[in-house]
Each structure stands twice: as structure tokens, then as C-alpha cells.
Amino acid sequence: MMLEGHSLSIGYRDRLVGSGLDVALRTGEVLALLGPNGGGKTTLLKTLLGLLVPKAGEVRLGDRALADYSSRERARLIAYVPQSHAATFAFTVETVVLMGRSAHGNLFSRPTAADRVVVARMLERFGIAHLADRPYTMISGGERQLALLARALAQEPQFVVLDEPTASLDFGNQGRVMREIRALGASGHGVLFTTHDPNHAMRAADRACLLRRGAVVGEGAARDVLTSDSLSALYGAKVQHLTDASGDQAFLPE
């Protein structure tokens, strides 16, 4: 299955953010979207999710237009992890993750035994089982991000879309999330994530898409697209590309 945007113009009621955008994500593939702030990354994600209606062009999921799917159908196929989430009600962490199961039932129905098994597995997967009974409002920002990742996977989707998934995580948990992203692709999920760190894209992504001022300025295999020249042009700053004796690569701003 594929999630595709064809000739998209994206934006809001009062402004155009980008146009002429083509993007495609297959199941079993990880795609990283990079670009400076204000370049249109989040707007593109929301358009691909159906949260924003494209100003022109079409988003397709499989052999149907995304607009033809009900919200419940979309939720069974695509999970979204936003960049930030304001905690309002003191639900437990377990309850927050259980909300991901509403795609398979009813938000107000009683969770089944099978739902709780899935949730327990996701809590363990992200190392937050010990937080299950803690109020979501009383855990750290990084722990909340891990809970949102667990909630997304509890939906058991085919595609996972993440907006800067490591933004509020410490160094160790950044590594955990990058490993999970790579594992999701290897297990057959299609994964799209935005990042400001080309090292994360190089490590976890099969392909990279570079977005600047609402236009794609580079797209292809991550190792081909992510170069010091392309990243310097993308961010308007010198980027140094380092390679060690084993062939591992890293990018550093100069």
C-alpha cells in the first residue's frame, strides 16, 4: 500500500505554504522530511493525514482518494504523533495509550482484554510500563512523547507519521526512538518523520526529502540526498560531513 500526494498545493485559508509537491511513502519504507522552520514540513504532514484539505492536487491512500475514507478508516491505517501535546486532563498513562485502541472500537466503549494486551505490550516496548498508573500531566515531556508513540502503535496502523519525534527526548531516548522507527520500517510499516537532525535521517531513513520555502529541493535515497552541499543550501549554513574509518557518517554545523 502507498500513501501519496500528487501535485499538492498546501496551506491555510489565508496563505499558501507550498505548491507542486509530490511525495510517496510505501509500506516497509522510512522517509525523513527535513527543512528549516517555516518550510512547510508540518503543513505537508497534516495535509497527508487529511487534517488539512489540499488547495490543489490530491492525497491518495492505496487505490482510493484519502478524502473517500472515513475518519475511523483513516485511523486504522495511519497513526499520527504530533510535535507537542498539551496535557489537559489527568488521565493515566495507560488510559492515554488505550485511546489508540478507539480506532478499533468506540472511544466510550469499555476496553477489551485484547485491547489491554496490546497496550501492555506497547508500554513495555517503550520502557514506560512503570508509568502506567501515573497521571499523564505529572510525567516529563520526554515521557509524554514516549506515551504518544505507544498510543500511535496501539492503533496497529500500516503507516506512522511523526512530527519531530525526538524533539523533547534526552539523548538516550532519542536513540530508542530512532531504533523503533527503523524497526517499524523493517516490520512492514510505512514511516514518515520530520527532523532537524540529518544524522537521525541518515541513520533511520531509507529516503530523504528536503523541503525549503514550500518546495522540494531534493529527494531520493538518504545517502545520496544528504550531503554537506545539499544541507548547507537547505539550512543556509555551512555543514561539515565527517566519515570515520568504518564508513560511519555524521554531519556537524560549522
Side-chain angles (χ1 to χ4, degrees):
M1 180 176 274
M2 291 185 67
L3 175 63
E4 305 170 90
H6 298 286
S7 301
L8 292 177
S9 291
I10 60 174
Y12 304 89
R13 180 178 300 178
D14 59 343
R15 63 188 175 99
L16 181 70
V17 173
S19 60
L21 299 173
D22 292 297
V23 61
L25 175 66
R26 297 171 178 84
T27 49
E29 177 182 60
V30 180
L31 173 62
L33 182 61
L34 298 93
N37 290 330
K41 299 187 301 299
T42 297
T43 305
L44 177 57
L45 290 195
K46 290 182 176 180
T47 304
L48 292 171
L49 289 161
L51 300 176
L52 291 174
V53 177
K55 289 179 170 291
E58 183 183 47
V59 179
R60 297 189 66 82
L61 179 58
D63 58 0
R64 296 163 57 190
L66 184 66
D68 292 342
Y69 287 82
S70 68
S71 58
R72 178 66 57 82
E73 288 175 320
R74 288 201 303 267
R76 289 178 178 174
L77 292 169
I78 310 173
Y80 175 45
V81 181
Q83 186 177 143
S84 61
H85 179 257
T88 304
F89 300 104
F91 295 115
T92 66
V93 170
E94 181 185 38
T95 299
V96 169
V97 179
L98 269 169
M99 290 176 184
R101 299 300 299 165
S102 64
H104 299 272
N106 185 294
L107 183 61
F108 301 104
S109 63
R110 194 177 189 86
T112 66
D115 290 333
R116 294 192 180 278
V117 168
V118 171
V119 168
R121 188 168 69 245
M122 296 307 153
L123 290 170
E124 287 287 348
R125 181 170 182 168
F126 288 95
I128 54 174
H130 64 290
L131 301 174
D133 296 326
R134 291 273 300 278
Y136 182 75
T137 52
M138 300 296 290
I139 61 176
S140 71
E143 289 166 338
R144 289 180 193 171
Q145 187 71 357
L146 293 174
L148 293 179
L149 285 163
R151 184 181 70 178
L153 293 194
Q155 291 177 223
E156 298 183 309
Q158 292 196 36
F159 295 94
V160 182
V161 176
L162 310 102
D163 196 1
E164 296 191 32
T166 63
S168 60
L169 299 181
D170 61 35
F171 193 67
N173 280 322
Q174 287 181 32
R176 172 180 291 174
V177 170
M178 286 297 103
R179 289 194 298 272
E180 287 295 338
I181 286 174
R182 185 70 262 169
L184 284 170
S187 64
H189 293 79
V191 184
L192 171 58
F193 72 99
T194 67
T195 180
H196 283 296
D197 191 336
N199 298 300
H200 287 170
M202 182 69 83
R203 176 182 177 185
D206 301 299
R207 291 192 300 118
C209 180
L210 310 183
L211 192 65
R212 181 176 175 84
R213 295 177 181 171
V216 173
V217 296
E219 192 276 330
R223 288 189 174 273
D224 295 333
V225 172
L226 300 175
T227 67
S228 56
D229 287 342
S230 67
L231 292 170
S232 295
L234 181 68
Y235 291 107
K238 290 285 290 181
V239 175
Q240 186 177 10
H241 187 186
L242 306 177
T243 305
D244 67 17
S246 66
D248 287 336
Q249 302 178 64
F251 296 97
L252 294 173
E254 290 188 3

